[in-house]
Amino acid sequence: MNRKAVPVLAALGLILLVIAGFFGVRFLERYIPTDEQADRTELLGVKDNEVALYLNEELQEAKGIFKEGQTYLPIDWVNSTLNERFYWDTSEKLLVYALPDSIVYADHTTKGTTGKPLIWVSEDNVYLSVGLVANYTDIRVAAYDGAQNKRMFINNKWDSINVATVKKNGNIRVKGGVKSPVVTWISKGSKVTVLESMKRWDKVRTEDGFVGYVEHRRLGKLSSENPVSTFEAPVYKNIVMDEPVCLAWHQMTTPDGNASFDRVIANTKGVNVISPTWYELTDNEGNYRSLADAEYVKKAHNKGLKVWALISNFSKDVNTEILLSKTSTRRRLIESLMAETEKYGFDGINLDFEGIKEEAGVPYIQFIRELSVSCREKGIVLSVDNYVPMPGNQFYNRKEQAVVADYVIIMGYDEHYAGGDAGSVASIGYVRNGIKDTLLEVPKEKIIQAIPFYTRVWTLDSDNKTSSSSLGIAKAKEWVSENQVELNWLEESGQYYGELQTEEGLKKIWMEEERSLGLKMDLIRQYDLAGVACWKLGFEPADIWDVVQLEKK
């Protein structure tokens, strides 16, 4: 060998050794599994006495707390994810839960069967024991709250789950990849719940209560298990009429209004429910003005009519949130209304609470729940009036109303209202959309569609300011005739439209009459709803009742 070649070969060998070392290190860095342990406290996001909560295997932002040897769940999280029927009265520090036939009350001193408090009240939140929640909610619970890193798994879904037996010991890692820190380990023969299956890695929940990723090759074949619920859901029995409802509201503002019963009912056809506006709340303590009259009920019953007494919150002295947020006030109001049913013998209550703000939504629904318990006990119908569903009124919670109340009424009017832009009171599209959107939350058997016996005459003055006046159908027809207003049918709105130039400005009218109401009645039949309600008696010509008819089923 050439002596000069030796240094060259040595240099090349050194270079190859360096290159091999470099790639070897890179290989080790990339492919040799790490045994770094994950920080479980950081992973679960808990400290001190906090308990990490998993809902359907997903880690939640909300945290439970561990007190006196058991876990408590934050009530706001319970309400939003598991069971909205736990009502906390912040002013009276009382938990209220309405069942179909009774109401359960508890405070921070109330203890469960274990002798421990059912409720834990802290400075900034209210917590419910897991046992209390599980007693009223269809869930299954796996608790690991005796460990250092406290955690709890709650499931309210009962779909089949995938499980696998471990065929080779392995590590559970924070993420898929051998360089991800180790959360826990699994041994051959143990079982895991497979949450997500991928090509090389599976997301699993282990028997010791951790969620992470394991190499797919370490697991056996998947099998399916079907969890079985033993929860007995409460049954809310409802009172329904054996024929379609044809309700007519009878508005009155003084006791003398009761004397008009014979006159307003004389020209009607097919009406089987009359709802007099007898009760109006007058303050935030549950007091009300009453126009109820026993003779009126007797007359109605003699004509085969049911009487659903209406109660409203229209008084400017009433703040619905303040009124309904206190349990003692709700209870007093309900007891008083039940005494009225005994005294006057009416057949139902029609709840007409309008204009409430979102913060009043939860107390309002709680009031309906509690009122339904008493109505169910007394055998009287509870119906609730609602706006057409819109993004801004979802807190009326029609879905829950549909569970506890007997009928949900859609007030299918005031599409355009006094103080707003000129337009139809109830175009056919507005009514149709109201029905379709309500059906997303309420079964058809409980929906009553309310139609207007009125319209508005709009005036656009020289300054482009809009005003309006309300006219019943009969009066509106007179106005059109007296002013010789030419009416043209608008297919899109399903109404006749007319306008008139006057000294006051341009007047516009979208008519409600036989043809337009006939289209609305067709929708009620098309969607097979529970009935129709009409606002209000006295606004209509007699022949309108030939249109407002529903056949007995």
Side-chain angles (χ1 to χ4, degrees), residues 73-134:
L73 307 176
I75 190 171
D76 49 357
W77 181 77
V78 171
N79 286 154
S80 63
T81 60
L82 300 178
N83 187 340
E84 65 178 304
R85 291 178 185 153
F86 289 100
Y87 179 83
W88 177 251
D89 184 329
T90 56
S91 61
E92 298 182 343
K93 308 299 180 186
L94 191 65
L95 182 71
V96 188
Y97 196 94
L99 293 163
D101 55 3
S102 63
I103 302 173
V104 180
Y105 302 95
D107 60 22
H108 72 282
T109 66
T110 308
K111 291 180 169 54
T113 55
T114 63
K116 298 175 182 179
L118 293 175
I119 306 167
W120 194 274
V121 182
S122 69
E123 292 182 0
D124 57 354
N125 209 344
V126 176
Y127 296 83
L128 309 180
S129 71
V130 173
L132 174 63
V133 176

Side-chain angles (χ1 to χ4, degrees), residues 127-169:
Y127 296 83
L128 309 180
S129 71
V130 173
L132 174 63
V133 176
N135 193 45
Y136 295 106
T137 313
D138 192 10
I139 59 175
R140 60 186 188 276
V141 178
Y144 304 88
D145 50 10
Q148 180 180 358
N149 303 113
K150 295 176 173 54
R151 57 209 181 276
M152 177 170 286
F153 290 83
I154 299 174
N155 290 77
N156 62 356
K157 294 181 179 179
W158 296 91
D159 302 330
S160 62
I161 58 177
N162 292 320
V163 297
T165 300
V166 177
K167 65 180 182 181
K168 187 176 182 181
N169 295 348

